[in-house]
Amino acid sequence: MKKNMFGRILAGIAAVSMAAVMAGCSDPNKAADSTSKADEPATEAASEADTTEAPEETTAAPAGDDESLQKVLSDNKLVLGLDASFPPMGFTDDSNEIIGFDIDVAQEVCDRMGIELVKQPINWDTKEQDLNVGKIDCIWNGMSINPARAEAMNLSEPYMKNEMIFVVPSDSDIKSMDDLKGKTIGVQTGSTAQEILEGADLFADITESPLEDNITALNQMELGFSDAVFLDSVVANYLITANNKDYVILDGSLEAEEYAIGFRKNDQALRDEVQKQLSEMKADGKLGEISTKWFGSDITTVK
């Protein structure tokens, strides 16, 4: 009895619900009105959102013209990236101090700009990455100009000329570049010397020995692990003179080069300020004084 009564009650409720649904759906306008009313809160919220002004989009400007110089001045420092084993341009002395021709010139530039010089040793093979991620502000270390670097960086005007030459021990049977066939040649990894050597006609007839830096390459040659080293004439001449090394520079060279300072591609104002300081130093004799200290005469080419 209770079950039958309960069933009748449920049936009645279902009938009333169905009637209500049918009544609502029989009139399309009512259905639309019902939907519209149901959406009213969302519509009102959207309307309110539409009346609120969206924040203006901002695009960060690349560090360029004014920003590159202002950042260095605001930070009160210039971070110079270098291979700290590249005498006489930049290297670590017996007191663990980084010294060299480029260091002295950069220090004078920073003094005139009223900022601190920070010397940051880097891996020469990844120097462009260090520059682009902001680890350093410039690469200033006897860096030779080539098309790839001119494309990747904003280079200063050349400040010194250089040649790429071969060095051998004085007791070597190698007397000219013609005698290099079949020999093992040490060269710095990631350097233009390596690039030039690998592009030379004689490369097919020699064995290349890539090493971290020129000092290591020369030491390996002294120990007999290679027969010659291919490197910058500026470096070779300095090492032979300063350390009384028993090396011989072979006559001739594969290519002449020029040194420049590398900045990030957009850092025009910083590049121009450093260039201006160098030109003023050339004019007032300070650049020649520093060059004479390291090379015996002014061999710079700054205008």
Side-chain angles (χ1 to χ4, degrees):
M1 182 69 179
K2 289 182 180 178
K3 289 183 180 179
N4 290 338
M5 184 180 292
F6 184 63
R8 286 198 294 270
I9 291 170
L10 289 177
I13 292 171
V16 171
S17 299
M18 181 62 70
V21 171
M22 293 300 292
C25 294
S26 62
D27 187 343
N29 292 329
K30 286 184 180 179
D33 289 343
S34 176
T35 302
S36 177
K37 287 178 181 178
D39 289 345
E40 276 183 81
T43 303
E44 289 174 3
S47 178
E48 289 177 3
D50 290 342
T51 60
T52 304
E53 291 186 5
E56 293 183 4
E57 293 186 3
T58 57
T59 303
D65 291 335
D66 293 335
E67 290 188 21
S68 61
L69 177 57
Q70 286 305 316
K71 181 182 183 301
V72 166
L73 295 176
S74 297
D75 292 345
N76 196 39
K77 64 182 180 181
L78 176 74
V79 183
L80 179 154
L82 79 157
D83 164 18
S85 58
F86 193 68
M89 311 310 286
F91 62 103
T92 305
D93 67 8
D94 294 337
S95 301
N96 208 34
E97 290 292 324
I98 297 176
I99 62 173
F101 170 77
D102 280 334
I103 301 303
D104 283 355
V105 175
Q107 185 64 65
E108 180 67 20
V109 167
C110 287
D111 289 346
R112 294 184 181 212
M113 291 174 64
I115 59 177
E116 177 190 0
L117 173 65
V118 177
K119 296 163 278 189
Q120 178 60 57
I122 58 174
N123 184 332
W124 196 250
D125 204 26
T126 59
K127 58 190 174 297
E128 290 88 354
Q129 292 93 315
D130 289 335
L131 180 65
N132 289 329
V133 300
K135 180 179 178 180
I136 55 177
D137 295 312
C138 65
I139 301 170
W140 195 339
N141 189 213
M143 184 178 71
S144 303
I145 299 172
N146 67 9
R149 290 173 182 170
E151 177 67 24
M153 292 179 271
N154 189 352
L155 300 179
S156 70
E157 294 174 15
Y159 64 87
M160 186 178 292
K161 290 183 178 180
N162 176 59
E163 289 184 322
M164 305 308 297
I165 51 85
F166 291 96
V167 168
V168 298
S170 60
D171 59 354
S172 172
D173 59 354
I174 302 172
K175 304 303 180 184
S176 71
M177 287 194 290
D178 293 335
D179 299 327
L180 292 170
K181 185 175 181 179
K183 305 298 185 181
T184 298
I185 312 298
V187 66
Q188 183 180 20
T189 300
S191 65
T192 54
Q194 184 181 32
E195 180 182 328
I196 292 167
L197 181 64
E198 293 177 353
D201 292 339
L202 59 77
F203 185 69
D205 298 320
I206 60 100
T207 298
E208 181 186 42
S209 177
L211 295 160
E212 184 178 357
D213 54 63
N214 288 312
I215 300 297
T216 302
L218 290 166
N219 287 339
Q220 292 293 298
M221 181 183 73
E222 284 190 13
L223 293 171
F225 293 108
S226 63
D227 302 297
V229 175
F230 185 59
L231 74 168
D232 303 58
S233 62
V234 168
V235 178
N237 280 305
Y238 173 79
L239 288 174
I240 290 171
T241 302
N243 300 315
N244 196 29
K245 289 291 186 180
D246 204 14
Y247 302 152
V248 172
I249 297 176
L250 299 182
D251 288 338
S253 65
L254 289 188
E255 191 170 314
E257 293 187 322
E258 292 180 303
Y259 291 154
I261 309 161
F263 300 88
R264 279 179 288 275
K265 200 67 176 177
N266 291 329
D267 288 4
Q268 190 64 41
L270 177 59
R271 180 264 184 206
D272 290 348
E273 177 63 23
V274 171
Q275 189 66 56
K276 179 175 78 72
Q277 297 293 343
L278 289 175
S279 295
E280 292 177 359
M281 289 166 60
K282 181 73 170 183
D284 64 30
K286 186 61 178 181
L287 190 60
E289 178 185 323
I290 296 172
S291 178
T292 300
K293 168 187 171 181
W294 288 99
F295 304 109
S297 63
D298 184 4
I299 63 172
T300 62
T301 58
V302 175
K303 297 178 181 178

